[in-house]
Amino acid sequence: MATIGDLLADATDRLRAAGSETARLDAEVLLGFAVGADRTAIVAHREAPVGVDAASRFEDAVRRREAGEPVAYIRGIKEFHGLAFVADARALIPRPETEGLVDAALAEVMIRLGRRSGEAGRGGRDGADPVHVADVGTGGGAVAVALAAALRARRVEMGRHVTILATDRSAEALDLARENAVSHATADGMRFIEADLLPPVLPDGGALLDVVLANLPYVRTDAIDGLPIAASFEPRAALDGGEDGLDVVRALLERLPDVLAEDGVALFEIGADQGESAPAAVTELMPDWRTSVAPDLAGLPRLLRVERPGS
Ligand SMILES: C[S@@+](CC[C@H](N)C(=O)[O-])C[C@H]1O[C@@H](n2cnc3c(N)ncnc32)[C@H](O)[C@@H]1O
């Protein structure tokens, strides 16, 4: 019977030859998936024998990875913002850099909840209108669900204090988003609506949105073919942002004057090369709105903030 060490050595060589830049890591994660253990157990028990069924599951997984399929689709799971999300070809795999969008949104929501409970006096949060949030282009729901889970951890009651509308043009992606919301018990206070950006009539009686989040497609069409092969397994509609990558972002910017409340804020994940073109698009459409770009942990401009002035 082959040992963990034997299988890892062979698979690492094969995955490296197939072009994976993370061959060893891929092999460890996939072997963990095949034997039903986490990666640390795999690394710590190199001499342990691997049963025939697990070795056969591992062989299938390695073959799929050799063909370029992302590890997250093979495992059917991706960790994001400390939670495990179901990941499959219905939606883009959530990326670690998008966690910054969740953190920024959480801060915006908490600021507004604090303001409202101050204004509502003794009724506190319970006496105030909910903060209305929309995650536009929710894909598998990672941003919306992670935000709802983080709010719950701060004792925010979904539905009563905060509502989250999650939209996508892809019905399949929305099904996955609903499944992820149910599995994290965050579906209360969330709505999933199939729409081109936003529905013509907003839920909750058309209440304006206080915080809009969007990780929309922003890859330039001519750059799609140059992406790593793993991206070719993801829906193209989740990636392709048109000629300059900003077609869908611009379309949402155009909708903001009709849907964003006064003092409302919209947060967009953008490409690292869009730190100038994205805020320029805002200024062109809404010259009196405030806009800024924040860097991510690597110092790259990845988060566009757009704020509607108050009265
Ligand atoms: C880059 S993916 C991001 C998915 C998810 N927000 C995340 O961060 O993992 C973009 C998503 O936007 C959706 N999308 C693209 N154009 C859209 C549109 N016009 N209206 C609604 N959703 C759209 C795609 O179907 C895809 O799910």
Side-chain angles (χ1 to χ4, degrees), residues 108-133 159-163 204 207-211 259-265:
E108 298 289 353
V109 172
M110 293 309 292
I111 287 169
R112 283 164 176 76
L113 282 171
R115 259 188 226 150
R116 278 175 203 199
S117 55
E119 285 160 10
R122 282 171 50 204
R125 268 180 201 167
D126 291 339
D129 288 338
V131 174
H132 296 291
V133 180
R160 193 166 180 189
H161 303 142
V162 175
T163 70
D204 301 305
L208 293 178
L209 300 167
D210 299 292
V211 180
V259 298
L260 200 62
E262 282 182 4
D263 290 319
V265 70

Side-chain angles (χ1 to χ4, degrees), residues 139-266:
V143 171
V145 171
L147 176 62
L151 288 167
R152 181 180 55 202
R154 284 159 183 75
R155 300 188 179 284
V156 173
E157 202 180 317
M158 289 295 298
R160 193 166 180 189
H161 303 142
V162 175
T163 70
I164 300 183
L165 164 65
T167 73
D168 207 287
R169 212 165 51 173
S170 157
E172 288 188 324
L174 273 181
D175 282 343
L176 180 59
R178 277 190 206 96
E179 287 165 30
N180 276 316
V182 168
S183 72
H184 289 292
T186 61
D188 285 352
M190 296 183 74
R191 304 260 177 95
F192 297 89
I193 298 183
E194 188 181 333
D196 181 0
L197 300 175
L198 286 162
V201 179
L202 292 172
D204 301 305
L208 293 178
L209 300 167
D210 299 292
V211 180
V212 170
L213 315 173
N215 177 19
L216 288 164
Y218 55 71
V219 181
R220 288 191 329 271
T221 304
D222 67 5
I224 300 263
D225 288 344
L227 293 176
I229 186 173
S232 68
F233 288 78
E234 297 181 288
R236 188 174 173 117
L239 297 165
D240 192 343
E243 195 177 341
D244 69 350
L246 290 173
D247 282 4
V248 195
V249 169
R250 238 183 244 108
L252 180 55
L253 288 173
E254 283 169 8
R255 297 284 299 277
L256 290 183
D258 295 329
V259 298
L260 200 62
E262 282 182 4
D263 290 319
V265 70

Side-chain angles (χ1 to χ4, degrees), residues 243-308:
E243 195 177 341
D244 69 350
L246 290 173
D247 282 4
V248 195
V249 169
R250 238 183 244 108
L252 180 55
L253 288 173
E254 283 169 8
R255 297 284 299 277
L256 290 183
D258 295 329
V259 298
L260 200 62
E262 282 182 4
D263 290 319
V265 70
L267 303 168
F268 294 80
E269 182 172 313
I270 56 172
D273 58 346
Q274 292 165 346
E276 288 180 12
S277 54
V282 179
T283 308
E284 197 179 318
L285 288 165
M286 289 98 76
D288 55 334
W289 289 30
R290 280 188 292 273
T291 182
S292 57
V293 175
D296 65 9
L297 290 176
L300 299 170
R302 298 304 304 272
L303 187 71
L304 173 72
R305 186 177 189 281
V306 180
E307 187 175 353
R308 179 177 210 154

Side-chain angles (χ1 to χ4, degrees), residues 10-89:
D10 174 60
T12 303
D13 287 347
R14 285 167 58 189
L15 295 179
R16 193 171 291 128
S20 170
E21 288 175 3
T22 51
R24 178 77 189 183
L25 176 65
D26 293 356
E28 289 168 359
V29 172
L30 291 176
L31 188 51
F33 159 72
V35 303
D38 66 23
R39 187 180 145 239
T40 41
I42 295 299
V43 175
H45 296 98
R46 297 176 50 82
E47 304 309 321
V50 177
V52 176
D53 289 348
S56 153
R57 275 194 297 278
F58 183 54
E59 177 57 28
D60 285 348
V62 172
R63 282 208 188 128
R64 287 170 69 179
R65 183 71 192 119
E66 279 183 301
E69 191 169 348
V71 170
Y73 284 169
I74 299 170
R75 292 172 71 216
I77 215 154
K78 176 73 184 178
E79 290 79 13
F80 178 82
H81 214 262
L83 301 173
F85 285 87
V86 174
D88 62 36

